Amino acid sequence: MRSLIDLHSHSLVSDGVLTPTALVNYAAEKGVRVLALTDHDDVDGLPEARTVAESHGMQFINGVEISVTWRRRTLHIVGLKIDPYHPPLVEGLAKIRAGRHVRAVGIAEALEKIGVQGALEGAYAYSKGGIISRTHFARYLIEKGYARNTRAVFKHYLVKGKPGYFEHHWATLEEAVSWIVGAGGIAVIAHPGRYDIGRVTMLELIHEFRELGGKAIEVVTGSHTLDQYKIFAKLANQFSLAASIGSDYHGKQDAYIDMGMIQSLPESCLPVWHDWPELQGMSLEAH
Ligand code: AMP
Ligand code: MN
Ligand code: MN
Ligand code: MN
């Protein structure tokens, strides 16, 4: 079954390619009934996206995807139903965004060492006034012929041990969860299958996340395999955490899966939206 609820997506405010308006229009066209915009470290697109979503009769969920450093690894924590004006969240995200500029300079310098010229300006041109991310460097590297597509860039550049990598410290897990919870939101571990950690470390992460007030895990996401749906459904149940669904849509060329095509949760899962009053009685699946 296809899911008509999608709780993870990106606009131009972070590293997606569509404006918030175009993203929501596209979701509506694809039959999505409930959408969360979850830009990296920024909530700027939410008011515009909400207005457009409401004009289509969709339910819109305020979201964000916060960059976290945990045990020297980068993790992403999604916040759903946040108040985007909550001061500690606003200030925390502003600090992360300031760090992104510092890191971008470091990435550009690292790329210059292997002969890539103009990467800082090139990446900023792709960011179009939104946050600066490795995705924008990836687009510049593709433009200059260093790689064929985004996947190839992230195999050969910008990651640990490869040219263009620059170590950076994001928010702590504790900060991210506390900003989200403080803002009245629900903290969700994004795409756990993408973290290159062993089972023991994964259990420790989930345990710590729950102790801090985290409530859910993304079980179905664009970058998970069918096996990973099962693995993380089981882990969510084991830890009494709810389960979330998100395409993690960034735009056509970077899509794991098209908008509107993400699968429903395995039946054993408790949906993260199970007690959201605005969704009661809504049909959230299609064939
Ligand atoms: P940043 O937050 O600046 O480190 O950039 C991370 C972003 O790069 C992620 O949110 C993805 O959109 C993108 N990304 C990372 N790894 C990959 C990959 N292997 N394939 C495609 N996109 C990726
Ligand atoms: Mn991204
Ligand atoms: Mn992510
Ligand atoms: Mn994402």
Side-chain angles (χ1 to χ4, degrees), residues 23-76:
L23 178 82
V24 177
N25 284 339
Y26 188 59
E29 190 185 307
K30 293 287 172 177
V32 174
R33 291 191 176 151
V34 184
L35 181 73
L37 175 63
T38 55
D39 275 311
H40 298 286
D41 310 318
D42 206 327
V43 293
D44 238 32
L46 299 179
E48 177 185 324
R50 172 174 296 281
T51 303
V52 179
E54 286 173 355
S55 79
H56 289 291
M58 293 162 73
Q59 288 288 342
F60 183 76
I61 306 299
N62 284 337
V64 67
E65 182 175 18
I66 303 182
S67 307
V68 162
T69 300
W70 182 77
R71 300 194 186 174
R72 302 196 67 197
R73 291 166 192 284
T74 299
L75 307 177
H76 288 168

Side-chain angles (χ1 to χ4, degrees), residues 107 111 134 137-138 141 153-154 157-160 162-165:
I107 292 175
L111 286 172
R134 281 184 300 161
F137 281 95
L141 288 169
V153 178
F154 281 99
Y157 301 92
L158 309 176
V159 292
K160 217 174 237 174
K162 303 287 175 175
Y165 177 71

Side-chain angles (χ1 to χ4, degrees), residues 8 10 14-16 40 65 76 100 133 135 194 248 250:
H8 188 150
H10 295 273
S14 63
D15 57 350
H40 298 286
E65 182 175 18
H76 288 168
R100 281 187 172 275
S133 125
T135 310
R194 273 175 58 190
D248 206 355
H250 284 71

